[in-house]
Amino acid sequence: MPTPDHRPSGTVLDGRAGRPGELGVTRSAVTRAVMLGPAFVAAVAYVDPGNFATNFTAGAHYGHRLLWVVLVANVAGLFFQVLAAKLGVATGRDLMRLCRDRYPRPVAFGLWAQAEAVAVATDLAEIIGGALALHMLLGTPLLLGGVVTALVSFALLHHDRRGRRRFDWIVAGSLLGIAGAMLWLAVAARPGVSALSSGLVPGFAGRESLVLAAGIIGATVMPHAVFLHSARSAERAGALRKAGILRAGHDERMVLRGVRFDVTVAMVLAGLVNAAMLVGGAHLAGGAGPLVETLEDVRDGLRTSLGGGVALAFCGALLISGLVSSSVGTYAGQVIMTGFLRRRLPLTVRRVLTVLPALLVLAAGADPTSALVWSQVVLSFGLPFALVPLLLFTRDRGLMGSLVNRPVTTACGALAGAAVICLNLSLLLP
């Protein structure tokens, strides 16, 4: 019988405990299994309450006209998520740590400050979304609903301490639940083929459509999700290296194939959900104008036109989205601080600090749907501060080795980043 020091070809170590794995378990099977999951944690941020607000509002105001924005945003999200994961696999370090190590201290500190602002804007949307869902389902006051959402999401986050895989499965299951509810809604709405195809033709309809387009992009290519995915992938790749499973060259490319599969499945699912949201909004108002102004209007319209079951599924999906995406957002804020500053706040302290702005907005009586939309616009302005360093690092052969970007990859990323920057600048012009 072979000993741990003389394993037959194809046998690998158990990455969790350093024990010999089962005979016949290939290196590729282990790496695929271990690397599956991080993209789903990142992708749940792409179906958070901010997505509900921007997509349903866009559909209600402009019909299917901005469907192409949803498609482009999800393709861009898939692209940058793969780059973030590739950075973690190739270097064993996350985007935040690389910024800290390679940029002057003032630059790294500035990037950290804006990343924290993005994390606060993210939590604002998620807490408000959960509070609004509880209000629509149970009549809970918004402020109390915000507190309940914060507490439940905090409890969910503790599953991450008990095992990364358990947390990943909870998030993936939640994403599937949201997807099921939204796809049911889209099928019930019965959108016409001609209407859907017309929405794939690029174009805008005035300044407000630009605001919503920026919100859709910010809600989809979320900067904190890019930071989080790089950290999660670096952590998984580090575990594989420590177990002696991952080596440079062929093994890294094998892991990258698993990462691409993970990201593609998660992002296609998120893209279908976002498209279904916009289709649902278009069904309610037919693109005739601002007939639907709030998510409560969406709930009422769905109940009237498609039945109470669809309306209940919409509210339930919004609640799940707020609870799970808030826990992911808090986790992202923690890894952002750790990566940039080598500091960690106690999880309870971070939870309180990020929740306070959302509770203040709810206490002030601000319109929840408007707050959700504008929080996503803030995320759009934060995107370049994550995407530009990501592109610069992944094009560096000395850093990335065999996984360095091809020139066409860097060019596509630069074009996508430039488009986001131009859209943001257009919102600042009179």
Side-chain angles (χ1 to χ4, degrees), residues 12-21 30 243 245:
V12 298
L13 289 176
D14 184 327
R16 291 170 295 177
R19 298 185 304 269
V30 173
I245 296 171

Side-chain angles (χ1 to χ4, degrees), residues 44-115:
V44 81
Y46 297 173
V47 293
D48 77 348
N51 294 81
F52 278 76
T54 55
N55 290 320
F56 274 103
T57 301
H61 285 222
Y62 300 104
H64 301 91
R65 188 160 189 173
L66 296 181
L67 186 60
W68 70 273
V69 179
V70 174
L71 176 63
V72 170
N74 277 274
V75 170
L78 190 157
F79 177 86
F80 287 112
Q81 285 298 320
V82 170
L83 288 191
K86 183 168 73 169
L87 181 69
V89 171
T91 67
R93 290 177 286 175
D94 54 51
L95 180 57
M96 299 78 70
R97 181 178 170 186
L98 286 167
C99 288
R100 182 193 71 207
D101 292 345
R102 290 179 165 249
Y103 291 151
R105 187 179 296 267
V107 174
F109 186 82
L111 289 173
W112 166 75
Q114 69 79 33

Side-chain angles (χ1 to χ4, degrees), residues 158 189 235 395:
H158 274 275
E235 178 185 320
R395 68 186 290 270

Side-chain angles (χ1 to χ4, degrees), residues 52 56 133 136-137 181-182 184-185 188 284 295-319:
F52 278 76
F56 274 103
M136 291 190 291
L137 284 169
M182 290 300 99
W184 178 21
L185 186 158
L284 293 178
L295 289 179
E296 290 177 278
D297 293 337
V298 172
R299 187 254 339 249
D300 296 339
L302 292 175
R303 180 185 294 154
T304 301
S305 61
L306 299 179
V310 173
L312 183 62
F314 162 77
C315 295
L318 179 61
L319 178 60

Side-chain angles (χ1 to χ4, degrees), residues 277-297:
M277 292 176 185
L278 189 140
V279 167
H283 167 79
L284 293 178
L291 304 178
V292 177
E293 296 288 355
T294 69
L295 289 179
E296 290 177 278
D297 293 337

Side-chain angles (χ1 to χ4, degrees), residues 17-34:
R19 298 185 304 269
E22 294 182 5
L23 193 64
V25 178
T26 65
R27 189 182 300 271
S28 61
V30 173
T31 51
R32 282 197 300 269
V34 174

Side-chain angles (χ1 to χ4, degrees), residues 17 37 76 228 248 296 306 310 324 333 347 368 394 414:
L228 177 58
E296 290 177 278
L306 299 179
V310 173
V324 180
L347 204 55
T394 52

Side-chain angles (χ1 to χ4, degrees), residues 39-384:
F40 283 85
V41 175
V44 81
Y46 297 173
V47 293
D48 77 348
N51 294 81
F52 278 76
T54 55
N55 290 320
F56 274 103
T57 301
H61 285 222
Y62 300 104
H64 301 91
R65 188 160 189 173
L66 296 181
L67 186 60
W68 70 273
V69 179
V70 174
L71 176 63
V72 170
N74 277 274
V75 170
L78 190 157
F79 177 86
F80 287 112
Q81 285 298 320
V82 170
L83 288 191
K86 183 168 73 169
L87 181 69
V89 171
T91 67
R93 290 177 286 175
D94 54 51
L95 180 57
M96 299 78 70
R97 181 178 170 186
L98 286 167
C99 288
R100 182 193 71 207
D101 292 345
R102 290 179 165 249
Y103 291 151
R105 187 179 296 267
V107 174
F109 186 82
L111 289 173
W112 166 75
Q114 69 79 33
E116 290 288 1
V118 162
V120 170
T122 300
D123 226 14
L124 178 76
E126 291 152 356
I127 296 298
I128 290 176
L132 186 57
L134 286 172
H135 176 70
M136 291 190 291
L137 284 169
L138 305 174
T140 308
L142 287 173
L143 184 58
L144 177 59
V147 173
V148 171
T149 300
L151 292 175
V152 174
S153 64
F154 184 70
L156 287 174
L157 189 59
H158 274 275
H159 282 280
D160 188 65
R161 291 182 170 183
R162 301 178 64 181
R164 293 283 194 260
R165 302 299 285 178
R166 175 179 295 189
F167 185 68
D168 289 355
W169 281 113
I170 291 173
V171 171
S174 300
L175 180 59
L176 290 174
I178 296 167
M182 290 300 99
L183 293 178
W184 178 21
L185 186 158
V187 170
R190 297 180 181 178
V193 175
S194 61
L196 291 175
S197 59
S198 67
L200 299 179
V201 179
F204 296 102
R207 187 174 182 81
E208 186 180 351
S209 69
L210 287 175
V211 173
L212 285 171
I216 290 171
I217 292 171
T220 305
V221 195
M222 301 186 81
H224 82 287
V226 173
F227 288 127
L228 177 58
H229 199 184
S230 72
R232 203 80 173 191
S233 297
E235 178 185 320
R236 292 285 180 87
L240 289 173
R241 285 190 177 93
K242 186 176 181 180
I245 296 171
L246 177 60
R247 299 172 301 187
H250 173 73
D251 287 347
E252 287 182 342
R253 292 193 175 279
M254 182 173 56
V255 170
L256 186 59
R257 286 195 293 271
V259 165
R260 285 173 178 159
F261 177 79
D262 187 31
V263 173
T264 300
V265 172
M267 291 304 300
V268 167
L269 189 59
L272 290 174
V273 171
N274 283 309
M277 292 176 185
L278 189 140
V279 167
H283 167 79
L284 293 178
L291 304 178
V292 177
E293 296 288 355
T294 69
L295 289 179
E296 290 177 278
D297 293 337
V298 172
R299 187 254 339 249
D300 296 339
L302 292 175
R303 180 185 294 154
T304 301
S305 61
L306 299 179
V310 173
L312 183 62
F314 162 77
C315 295
L318 179 61
L319 178 60
I320 294 171
S321 170
L323 295 175
V324 180
S325 61
S326 183
S327 63
V328 171
T330 299
Y331 177 50
Q334 191 77 306
V335 298
I336 285 170
M337 173 173 279
T338 302
F340 275 116
L341 303 183
R342 299 181 185 175
R343 300 275 195 285
R344 291 178 67 91
L345 286 175
L347 204 55
T348 303
V349 174
R350 170 163 288 278
R351 175 82 285 195
V352 170
L353 290 177
T354 55
V355 161
L356 275 178
L359 296 182
L360 290 174
V361 169
L362 292 173
D367 175 56
T369 303
S370 295
L372 286 172
V373 171
W374 282 104
S375 70
Q376 305 311 291
V377 175
V378 170
L379 295 183
S380 179
F381 278 88
L383 268 175

